[in-house]
Amino acid sequence: MKGILLAGGSGTRLHPMTMAASKQLLPVYDKPMVYYPLSTLMLAGIQDIMLISTPEDLPQFRRLLGDGSRFGVRFAYAEQPSPDGIAQAFLIARDWIGGEACALALGDNLIHGDHLSALLREAAARPLGATVFAYQVRDPERYGVVSFGADGQATEIVEKPPQPKSNWAVTGLYFYDKQVSDIAPRIAPSARGELEITDLNRVYLEAGTLMVDKLSRGYAWLDAGTPDSLLQAATYVQTIQSRTGMLVGCPEEVAFRMGFIDADRLKEQASRLGKTELGRVLMDLAMGAHA
């Protein structure tokens, strides 16, 4: 399975912070925002990743991430000239996907919780259909909302409904089978002129091949697209890391634990980070593996 990391858009909800820098390059505590969804894709076992962003911001992402080798992954890059909807990513990446199954992670989403890797790898391993994740929120009208029948099966997905039928929001992480490259071009633009990911999901729902996994209380999902949510995400990461000593959204650590890189490569990456706390934790992890 391949993975798309969508880091485009103009970030208007975060102006003036994003008037000179991509939203996904802003810090969430001690790491760039894009590190968190990147780590999520890696936790699913995905090593071929395409990052899609604006022509203006792509050079900064290339500078930050390089070819991916230090994370044990392979990066490709593509331009999204205008933000014409999340599902547009599959049109931009169609040749690169090459008819394979593909996951998509939004660049401003953070998902964290115990046993997350196992949950994601299970979704990636499903041979047919699509898998999305739902999370209970207080303001579902801001998101794609999924409704469930008495049997617990998803019955409807609506994008930003004014009167939501449930408080289960679809998170910014999606897994699709190899049919996605053929389905996405058939999606028509919505009333706001965008290729909606909700419409793509609805195709799978109507075909009876959409799996909706509800994220329980043991998971946190944060959409860091507003000043308040950006602060909440940073506070969450700081709290978890300072109280437990465990890292959140660190691709170097994920690469090591997933077996993408060995202890020597992890030690090199820790040295690159100098005397930062993040570098110290990674060095301790690398040295512990040598002990």
Side-chain angles (χ1 to χ4, degrees), residues 129-283:
T131 301
V132 299
F133 300 90
Y135 193 84
Q136 287 185 296
V137 297
R138 294 180 59 186
D139 49 354
E141 64 278 359
R142 291 181 52 212
Y143 306 98
V145 175
V146 58
S147 302
F148 299 92
D151 59 357
Q153 298 298 308
T155 58
E156 185 181 35
I157 298 181
V158 181
E159 181 67 19
K160 297 182 175 63
Q163 296 181 323
K165 294 182 180 179
S166 85
N167 63 346
W168 287 98
V170 177
T171 71
L173 178 64
Y174 319 87
F175 289 81
Y176 299 101
D177 63 14
K178 61 183 181 181
Q179 298 183 71
V180 67
S181 294
D182 295 324
I183 295 174
R186 303 201 301 263
I187 300 298
S190 65
R192 58 178 185 167
E194 295 191 5
L195 299 175
E196 305 285 359
I197 197 70
T198 294
D199 290 337
L200 178 59
N201 293 333
R202 192 177 293 114
V203 172
Y204 282 94
L205 176 64
E206 292 174 353
T209 58
L210 179 70
M211 173 73 70
V212 181
D213 282 344
K214 292 181 178 179
L215 295 179
S216 65
R217 292 185 179 183
Y219 293 92
W221 170 54
L222 298 165
D223 171 4
T226 68
D228 284 347
S229 60
L230 181 62
L231 177 60
Q232 290 166 3
T235 301
Y236 176 84
V237 174
Q238 191 274 338
T239 300
I240 295 295
Q241 293 189 170
S242 64
R243 291 192 177 185
T244 69
M246 295 184 292
L247 296 175
V248 178
C250 178
E252 294 93 345
E253 182 212 20
V254 172
F256 176 68
R257 297 195 184 280
M258 294 293 294
F260 298 170
I261 62 173
D262 59 19
D264 289 332
R265 177 61 67 88
L266 179 62
K267 187 175 179 180
E268 292 175 10
Q269 302 315 311
S271 297
R272 289 180 67 253
L273 295 173
K275 297 181 179 180
T276 63
E277 178 65 12
L278 183 57
R280 183 194 66 77
V281 175
L282 291 177
M283 184 63 73

Side-chain angles (χ1 to χ4, degrees), residues 90-107:
F90 292 104
L91 277 63
I92 295 171
R94 188 176 188 182
D95 290 342
W96 174 80
I97 294 171
E100 295 186 36
C102 190
L104 170 66
L106 301 187

